[in-house]
Amino acid sequence: MAISINPSHPRARSMRWILLTVVTGSLVFLVPWIAYLSVSLPSERQVDQWDIAWVGFDFALAAAIGMTAWNAWRRRQVFIPWAMITGTLLVADAWFDIVLDWNSPDLWFALLSAGIGELPLAALLFYASWRVLRLTIERAWVLTGHTGPAPRLSRIQLGVTTGWQVPDGLAANGSAMNGSDVHGRTGIDTPYRSRHGVAQRVDAEA
């Protein structure tokens, strides 16, 4: 059972090359840009709209936390990217709070809020998103008839599980492979679903 697009699919190949080009090009651009900024930026600068910048950032952070909480309550897989987004915003919030308040009386509050609020919450969200993703991989591993521990996330190819085929004994004929998920995809072994009870939970939460 393949549960996503085969990597040889033309659209998958083109998307991969676009992504690699953009990401690699961004890295090549950012390295000299950071070096340039390190010697050209002033240590002090008077800016306008300081309040708008921080209120806008906090509004985005509140929206991300709300979406994360909403999808967590509803047990949706989209919780994973929202948790990562929120965790990243929290780390950025702590960084800028501390750095920008370094020589001000507000530094103690920035350190306190980062130490007991933003950074612990970010760590929790990163761990939760990793754990949910790991559990999803483990379910897919069981659904495709494998035994033993699933491979680590760092060893799984992006977006494909074409190597996770159901063993030959299960896919020998149509009767052995007559299961389907809630989206109508076939290739889920019905006896295996009943024996392990994993596919039913996947269908129920999809």
Side-chain angles (χ1 to χ4, degrees):
M1 170 177 88
I3 60 175
S4 65
I5 298 176
N6 189 296
S8 63
H9 191 283
R11 294 181 62 180
R13 287 201 305 268
S14 62
M15 178 59 68
R16 180 176 183 269
W17 281 111
I18 291 173
L19 179 65
L20 288 174
T21 301
V22 172
V23 173
T24 306
S26 299
L27 176 62
V28 172
F29 169 79
L30 277 175
V31 171
W33 179 248
I34 293 172
Y36 166 75
L37 292 180
S38 66
V39 299
S40 63
L41 284 178
S43 58
E44 296 181 6
R45 184 175 182 179
Q46 185 70 31
V47 298
D48 297 325
Q49 289 84 40
W50 180 262
D51 54 343
I52 296 177
W54 278 111
V55 169
F57 181 86
D58 287 339
F59 179 80
L61 178 58
I65 293 175
M67 290 299 297
T68 302
W70 171 258
N71 287 292
W73 277 105
R74 294 176 62 83
R75 300 181 179 180
R76 297 293 187 243
Q77 284 288 324
V78 75
F79 161 82
I80 297 173
W82 275 113
M84 293 180 177
I85 291 170
T86 304
T88 303
L89 290 176
L90 286 167
V91 172
D93 193 15
W95 166 262
F96 285 110
D97 280 342
I98 293 174
V99 172
L100 296 179
D101 289 335
W102 191 256
N103 293 318
S104 74
D106 295 329
L107 177 61
W108 69 270
F109 180 76
L111 291 171
L112 186 66
S113 64
I116 67 174
E118 295 154 344
L119 295 181
L121 178 56
L124 175 63
L125 291 174
F126 288 141
Y127 173 77
S129 59
W130 172 85
R131 185 59 180 164
V132 172
L133 182 57
R134 178 64 188 174
L135 290 173
T136 302
I137 295 299
E138 289 176 354
R139 288 187 176 188
W141 187 251
V142 172
L143 277 172
T144 48
H146 290 79
T147 58
R152 292 182 297 176
L153 295 180
S154 60
R155 302 183 65 86
I156 298 175
Q157 293 185 354
L158 180 63
V160 295
T161 55
T162 53
W164 293 10
Q165 302 298 323
V166 176
D168 294 337
L170 297 178
N173 54 64
S175 61
M177 292 291 296
N178 58 1
S180 64
D181 64 7
V182 292
H183 299 293
R185 293 181 294 242
T186 59
I188 300 176
D189 174 55
T190 302
Y192 202 84
R193 292 171 51 161
S194 302
R195 183 165 66 253
H196 289 269
V198 176
Q200 291 93 331
R201 292 196 299 272
V202 173
D203 289 353
E205 295 180 11

